[in-house]
Amino acid sequence: MPGPGPVPGPGAWSGSQDPSRPYSPWDLYGETGPWRAPAAAAAPASKRASRLRTSDPERRAGATPRVVLASLLTGLLTAWLLYDGLGANLLICGVVTAVGAGFAARVAGRRIRPWTAAWSLLALALLAVPAVWSAPLPTLLAAGCALALASLAVHGGRRWTGVLLAMPGFLWQSVPAVRWAWISMEGRSLRGRDRIVPVLKALAVAAALLTVFGLLFASADAAMADLLSGLSPDLDLDQLPGRGMLFVLGTLTVLGFAHIAAGPRRWDRTEVRPGRERRRTEWMLPLVALNLLFGVFAVIQAVVVLGGADAVLSNTGMSRSAYARQGFWQLSVITVLTLVVVTFAKRWAPRTTAADRRVAKVLLGMLCVLALAVVASALGRMWFYVDASGLTRARLWVLVVEIWLGVVFLLLIASGLTRRAAWLPRVVVLSGMLTVAVYGLMGPDAIVANQNVSRYERALRTDPLTATIDLRNVRTLSADAVPALDRLPEPQRSCSLQLIQLAVRDGKPWYATDLAAARARQILAERPVPADTPMIGRSLCDRAGSPY
């Protein structure tokens, strides 16, 4: 594809394209519009503005009719599909958004690279979560991470600044994207424009006249009202504001991503000055003390493991769940704080000589290795807690996050053992997004329900008189839990499925539902939950031992 033509100098022409020059998609787009003369004198920029200007794109291709059409189509699909709920519709809108961004990237001459393909495919996999499961938390996490990955895919980025600033970069691209599309369409000659525009104007005026006079005739005559109601589409006027907002949101989203794809900011160029180098003693002493503290904790945990859990419980006088609950949350906070300490310690580490760099690498590596012992201890305590008290949504989510933090420490250790660690930012983000995708696609509510039901079934076989299940926990789960809760005996089954049956009773369109909800409706249709009539006797949950 040919590069941009020569940029005219100041005073050559302004406000429109050179009539002797054909339109090119490489037309530059700046603050003053395409191909306009630069300002005669620029005001002195602040340091923050100058840092931001280093990431400006060298050039940006103009918007094409295909990009504008894809944005409008996505807006219509969003208004039509997303109003009734989330399901397969989110994936459909995501694919159309990717197509619009792809059009803009193709015009700009950009090629798909391996990391771009990886981010894009992982974003689409995240958007498939609402099509499979009903739980709200995995759906929200998946949608947010998919947007961040899509922004990273069109921006690109290798360094920490490039990766971390690219993920939220789509948020401030919507308004500039509208101006970009408007200016690009103004300067582009479209075939048949003189014939199409008058027809569109005439259709708009006719629609407005028919609407106004049709409503007046319908209110004046019942027969006319009946005729017009049969001819006009069934549209609830109360839905118009919501669907209008969805249309605007979908259109701006595609335009924003297309605007980035046509000329992304290069956040990797953003200058981040290294931290002030500390003296070796000043920097080493706190880290050595912290390493010693972590080492003592690791030795104590090894003694506990060798001595057995029963010895610990007899020495502390605590129950199994109390011992696990006492330490897990503190250890989780320690894990996060250790990552913060490693980040700032690396920034301020001495690096003048090879010996300084070697000492810093050894101390930080030891801290990361000892932090793995903290992660293992936290996971062991949570497993202890779940075995004693059962699994909940919060406990499962914290377990997943703790496992991911352990993976991050392993990646930090690996980066310290290699000569080049340029791969670290992208691999850390990839591990986090894969964690969210696996967490969403594995069905957290289904896992929580299955663990609690299996635990209750084991208790029934060993000691039926003391077997219990926390119905307050499983009653609030989504439709994902129905296959597992359906295995419960009565009245526990009916109590646990009451709220879920009410939630899945109203049928939604195929695009606004998911496989888990369809499976739950089928199970509850075959074995419906009886109506709760506490006036005749005790309610279902009262009889199950879990009153409201």
Side-chain angles (χ1 to χ4, degrees):
M1 183 172 292
V7 180
W13 41 266
S14 176
S16 62
Q17 282 187 300
D18 185 357
S20 63
R21 180 182 179 277
Y23 176 82
S24 169
W26 286 113
D27 285 349
L28 299 182
Y29 173 74
E31 293 298 325
T32 57
W35 293 101
R36 292 191 179 181
S46 62
K47 292 183 179 180
R48 182 178 300 178
S50 62
R51 290 182 182 179
L52 184 63
R53 192 166 293 125
T54 59
S55 64
D56 285 344
E58 301 92 346
R59 53 192 178 185
R60 173 171 284 124
T64 63
R66 287 186 178 183
V67 172
V68 177
L69 182 61
S71 65
L72 295 175
L73 176 60
T74 307
L76 292 174
L77 283 175
T78 304
W80 172 38
L81 298 179
L82 294 185
Y83 187 83
D84 297 311
L86 296 181
N89 47 16
L90 203 59
L91 181 59
I92 296 172
C93 294
V95 171
V96 180
T97 302
V99 171
F103 285 150
R106 184 178 180 182
V107 171
R110 300 181 64 190
R111 296 180 181 179
I112 297 179
R113 297 183 178 181
W115 277 105
T116 304
W119 300 136
S120 303
L121 293 176
L122 186 52
L124 293 178
L126 286 166
L127 292 180
V129 172
V132 181
W133 301 105
S134 299
L137 178 60
T139 296
L140 294 176
L141 285 173
C145 291
L147 285 173
L149 277 181
S151 181
L152 181 57
V154 293
H155 272 105
R158 296 182 179 183
R159 301 170 56 198
W160 283 112
T161 52
V163 171
L164 297 180
L165 293 176
M167 287 193 290
F170 69 95
L171 293 175
W172 48 80
Q173 293 293 332
S174 299
V175 175
V178 175
R179 185 169 179 263
W180 165 71
W182 181 269
I183 293 177
S184 299
M185 290 297 100
E186 269 190 337
R188 189 180 182 91
S189 59
L190 301 176
R191 293 182 180 179
R193 184 174 183 177
D194 296 337
R195 297 191 302 271
I196 296 175
V197 173
V199 173
L200 293 178
K201 290 181 179 179
L203 289 175
V205 174
L209 292 175
L210 289 176
T211 301
V212 173
F213 285 95
L215 290 175
L216 291 174
F217 278 122
S219 61
D221 185 79
M224 190 68 176
D226 184 65
L227 175 63
L228 292 177
S229 62
L231 296 176
S232 61
D234 187 12
L235 181 63
D236 189 355
L237 296 179
D238 294 337
Q239 298 179 2
L240 286 180
R243 292 187 184 272
M245 291 180 62
L246 288 174
F247 172 78
V248 173
L249 179 63
T251 303
L252 291 181
T253 300
V254 178
L255 282 179
F257 281 114
H259 184 244
I260 300 172
R265 279 190 174 275
R266 301 301 182 184
W267 294 111
D268 280 337
R269 299 174 187 161
T270 305
E271 181 184 358
V272 179
R273 296 179 180 177
R276 186 170 64 87
E277 184 179 356
R278 307 290 177 175
R279 295 181 179 179
R280 186 184 296 185
T281 304
E282 180 185 0
W283 182 87
M284 284 178 52
L285 186 59
L287 273 194
V288 170
L290 193 60
N291 275 314
L292 289 175
L293 179 61
F294 273 61
V296 171
F297 176 80
V299 171
I300 291 175
Q301 294 305 299
V303 172
V304 168
V305 172
L306 293 176
D310 295 334
V312 175
L313 297 178
S314 62
N315 292 333
T316 60
M318 303 171 66
S319 65
R320 293 166 59 120
S321 60
Y323 175 75
R325 184 172 59 250
Q326 179 198 36
F328 172 77
W329 300 108
Q330 292 90 330
L331 293 178
S332 299
V333 173
I334 289 173
T335 305
V336 176
L337 289 179
T338 305
L339 277 178
V340 176
V341 170
V342 170
T343 302
F344 284 98
K346 188 175 181 181
R347 179 174 173 81
W348 294 327
R351 50 188 176 270
T352 303
T353 65
D356 288 338
R357 294 190 292 270
R358 187 163 49 251
V359 169
K361 184 176 294 188
V362 169
L363 288 178
L364 291 176
M366 288 180 57
L367 185 59
C368 290
V369 171
L370 293 172
L372 289 177
V374 178
V375 172
S377 178
L379 291 175
R381 288 174 186 249
M382 177 52 76
W383 189 263
F384 207 18
Y385 191 16
V386 169
D387 184 63
S389 303
L391 189 62
T392 64
R393 284 172 170 172
R395 294 168 193 170
L396 179 59
W397 169 243
V398 173
L399 270 173
V400 171
V401 173
E402 192 71 27
I403 292 173
W404 175 68
L405 291 175
V407 172
V408 172
F409 278 115
L410 288 174
L411 293 175
L412 290 175
I413 295 171
S415 68
L417 297 176
T418 57
R419 292 184 178 181
R420 299 183 62 185
W423 51 267
L424 184 61
R426 288 186 289 189
V427 174
V428 169
V429 172
L430 179 62
S431 66
M433 295 302 176
L434 281 174
T435 301
V436 175
V438 171
Y439 171 75
L441 292 174
M442 71 182 182
D445 282 16
I447 293 176
V448 170
N450 187 69
Q451 194 273 345
N452 282 276
V453 172
S454 298
R455 185 168 171 270
Y456 181 61
E457 290 173 341
R458 289 194 302 269
L460 285 176
R461 289 192 297 267
T462 57
D463 191 0
L465 297 179
T466 60
T468 58
I469 182 172
D470 189 358
L471 293 174
R472 294 172 299 177
N473 174 29
V474 298
R475 272 174 58 85
T476 58
L477 298 176
S478 63
D480 308 343
V482 170
L485 298 180
D486 187 54
R487 292 162 25 205
L488 289 173
E490 293 292 352
Q492 284 83 0
R493 175 188 179 274
S494 296
C495 176
S496 63
L497 292 176
Q498 272 184 328
L499 299 179
I500 300 177
Q501 180 171 261
L502 294 176
V504 301
R505 179 177 298 174
D506 297 333
K508 293 182 179 180
W510 65 268
Y511 51 80
T513 189
D514 50 82
L515 297 178
R519 184 167 55 247
R521 278 192 291 268
Q522 181 181 358
I523 293 174
L524 293 174
E526 295 173 356
R527 297 180 59 196
V529 176
D532 200 353
T533 54
M535 291 185 296
I536 299 176
R538 291 192 303 166
S539 68
L540 292 173
C541 289
D542 284 334
R543 283 184 280 144
S546 178
Y548 289 107

